[in-house]
Amino acid sequence: MNKAKNISDLIGRAVYGIICLSLGIISLTMIGVALWDIWLSAHERTLLVASLLNAIGLIVIGMAVFDVSKFLLEEEVFSSSSTKSPAKQREALLKFLVIIAIAISLESLVFVFDAGTKDITKLIYPTFLLISAVLVVVGLGVYQRLTRDDDK
């Protein structure tokens, strides 16, 4: 039984490793495409501001995907799941949700600037995205407040 668990754990780590590598490559490709788009816009003298806003969006998403990849690599590939205490599991959950909250916040700010320069009537969608980012942060605060007594 123990040998089967070890094989299952090894297969799981290998799959997570492949997923992390794929996410890392995708995120770096997104960042590369954003930088290439800026390069082309600067040299062709085309809509540089629009290109910069699009690049910010791609870089923010790429950064978030890379952070998720790094998080999965640290938590699922390099650490042993059998030795995770509830405090370590809470810390991992908080770290993951902070990454998501930062990505949502940055992306909503990009959308706010984009809607503000194009069509002010479409500002409602990025506003709701920003509100959802705030709610994620508030939820994290409530979660930390409710679970802080468990550490003592």
Side-chain angles (χ1 to χ4, degrees):
M1 184 66 174
N2 196 18
K3 187 173 184 174
K5 184 176 178 347
N6 288 341
I7 292 172
S8 172
D9 189 46
L10 185 63
I11 291 171
R13 287 176 190 243
V15 169
Y16 271 110
I18 292 169
I19 291 169
C20 293
L21 181 64
S22 301
L23 287 174
I25 290 170
I26 290 168
S27 68
L28 293 175
T29 303
M30 291 175 77
I31 293 169
V33 166
L35 296 175
W36 179 253
D37 192 31
I38 291 172
W39 176 263
L40 289 178
S41 295
H43 284 77
E44 294 177 5
R45 307 267 189 245
T46 58
L47 304 168
L48 184 60
V49 173
S51 177
L52 290 172
L53 282 175
N54 289 336
I56 290 171
L58 274 175
I59 290 171
V60 165
I61 293 170
M63 177 195 67
V65 170
F66 190 81
D67 275 348
V68 168
S69 171
K70 186 177 136 210
F71 171 80
L72 287 175
L73 191 67
E74 291 170 353
E75 294 299 318
E76 298 296 334
V77 177
F78 293 141
S79 72
S80 174
S81 59
S82 62
T83 61
K84 286 186 184 175
S85 67
K88 289 287 186 189
Q89 289 176 346
R90 255 191 319 279
E91 183 181 320
L93 175 66
L94 289 172
K95 184 177 176 183
F96 180 73
L97 287 176
V98 164
I99 292 168
I100 299 302
I102 290 170
I104 292 172
S105 301
L106 291 173
E107 194 64 27
S108 64
L109 288 175
V110 169
F111 287 150
V112 164
F113 293 134
D114 191 40
T117 59
K118 291 181 182 173
D119 186 7
I120 199 78
T121 60
K122 294 188 179 186
L123 200 56
I124 191 74
Y125 304 112
T127 303
F128 280 129
L129 191 59
L130 193 55
I131 290 170
S132 70
V134 169
L135 290 175
V136 168
V137 172
V138 168
L140 279 172
V142 169
Y143 176 76
Q144 280 190 305
R145 175 78 176 192
L146 292 174
T147 60
R148 72 183 167 127
D149 291 337
D150 293 344
D151 294 336
K152 295 178 181 177

